[in-house]
Amino acid sequence: MNPVYAKLGTTIFEAMSARARATGAVNLGQGFPDGNGPPDVLQAAARALLAGPNQYPPMAGLPELRAAIAAHYAAHQGLDLDAGEVIVTSGATEALAAAILALVSPGDEVILFQPMYDAYLPLVERAGGVARFVRLEPPEWRITREALERVAGPRTRLVIFNDPLNPTATVASAEERALLAQFCVERDLIAICDEVWEHVVFDGHAHRSLMAEPGMRERTVKIGSAGKIFSLTGWKVGWMCAAPALAAVLAKAHQFLTFTTPPNLQAAAAYGLGKDMAYFQDMRAGFARSRDRLAAGLAASGYHVLPSAGTYFLSIDLAASGIAMGDVAFCEWLVEERGVAAIPVSAFYAQDAVTNVVRLCFAKVDATIDAALERMARLP
């Protein structure tokens, strides 16, 4: 077997969700909402399914979806994208795989920021790349020039940048974006930007893509997700946006992965991306209210809650909460003794892990959040 995959275990998300199902625990581990998504987007998918066509759509995606993605980013982020610079994929993880396989050659070094989405490292290794890790630390989880310089070398070719960052729930500052852009330009690096949480930001934050920074338009692959924008994680509709020279190579990698994506879901995503600004504002407000409900309840029980500026997640600092357990031990105790599933943030590190932070998902209905809070009311 390929050693990259032979050595891997089951993802922590699937493992904890399985534990939750087996024990009847409240699942605040895996990042999916309780709801079923916007009814009008669901209806658009149903209409497209019944009306057809249901045969292979174009490999790069339905023209109407590619145009809708470009128009959406012009309206929401001020990006000047052409529909020809958009490639539709079967979820953002497929977009990551296509981008990494297209752009990483054996021996190339790739900078990864830890904690990180767990797909990054095996995909880089499968492409023959060599990972170089920047270790981020709580509570700020900030990127510095010194950290970048420590890991950069003559074989560095690529940076993978997740903003907003799962699992830390941070949004990159203007200074961090400018620093990273300058670093990429100086060293002639390509940035794969995982921006799936771009609409799930709070407290006055507005997402700005690294692609918009000086010098980055021609060297950025911007990845988005309809699943995150519309709380339809099971649909697995994503996309890559890049300048023509990059997009042409990305498309060649994509055609030999999934080739295409269900046409009715593409049509529905195109419809949804054209919704007015009020939908996106209301969506953010709803998630912020759930975040605040969980954060307030945890704080009232004595947990030290770290700030959450974006994503579906917030974290608790065990040491600052007076809990003398590591994150893995705490999550085991929590699911077995209190019936709540959570994720140890150490699972998002490949080395030198932070071991005192636990991630919880707040994209849940009030009853689910309240049930979890009741079970977590007494600290260990």
Side-chain angles (χ1 to χ4, degrees), residues 191-270:
I192 296 177
C193 294
D194 180 353
E195 300 182 9
V196 300
W197 301 103
E198 58 198 342
H199 275 296
V200 191
V201 293
F202 314 120
D203 305 326
H205 287 286
H207 180 74
R208 181 176 172 85
S209 176
L210 191 67
M211 180 180 272
E213 295 295 321
M216 294 306 294
R217 180 65 173 82
E218 303 299 316
R219 61 177 68 250
T220 299
V221 179
K222 174 180 170 62
I223 292 174
S225 166
K228 297 299 190 295
I229 293 175
F230 302 114
S231 300
L232 293 166
T233 59
W235 278 21
K236 302 299 291 180
V237 178
W239 48 78
M240 305 178 278
C241 306
L246 289 176
V249 182
L250 300 175
K252 292 176 183 178
H254 161 64
Q255 71 180 334
F256 293 119
L257 288 172
T258 62
F259 180 75
T260 191
T261 298
N264 70 307
L265 302 184
Q266 291 193 54

Side-chain angles (χ1 to χ4, degrees), residues 107-112 130-132 148-160 183-184 187-190:
D108 286 352
E109 294 185 358
V110 180
I111 295 176
L112 303 177
V130 179
R132 298 294 184 221
L148 290 170
E149 294 291 353
R150 278 197 299 270
V151 300
R155 300 208 66 173
T156 305
R157 298 288 182 268
L158 200 77
V159 174
I160 299 180
F183 180 79
C184 289
R187 292 183 172 270
D188 193 24
L189 308 181
I190 294 173

Side-chain angles (χ1 to χ4, degrees), residues 257-319:
L257 288 172
T258 62
F259 180 75
T260 191
T261 298
N264 70 307
L265 302 184
Q266 291 193 54
Y271 163 84
L273 288 171
K275 288 164 74 72
D276 61 29
M277 293 290 182
Y279 163 76
F280 301 95
Q281 293 165 353
D282 291 346
M283 177 266 289
R284 286 190 284 272
F287 283 130
R289 189 185 68 82
S290 296
R291 176 201 62 173
D292 294 345
R293 188 182 191 93
L294 180 59
L298 289 169
S301 293
Y303 293 95
H304 182 84
V305 181
L306 296 177
S308 169
T311 76
Y312 294 158
F313 310 109
L314 59 76
S315 295
I316 54 176
D317 184 322
L318 299 178

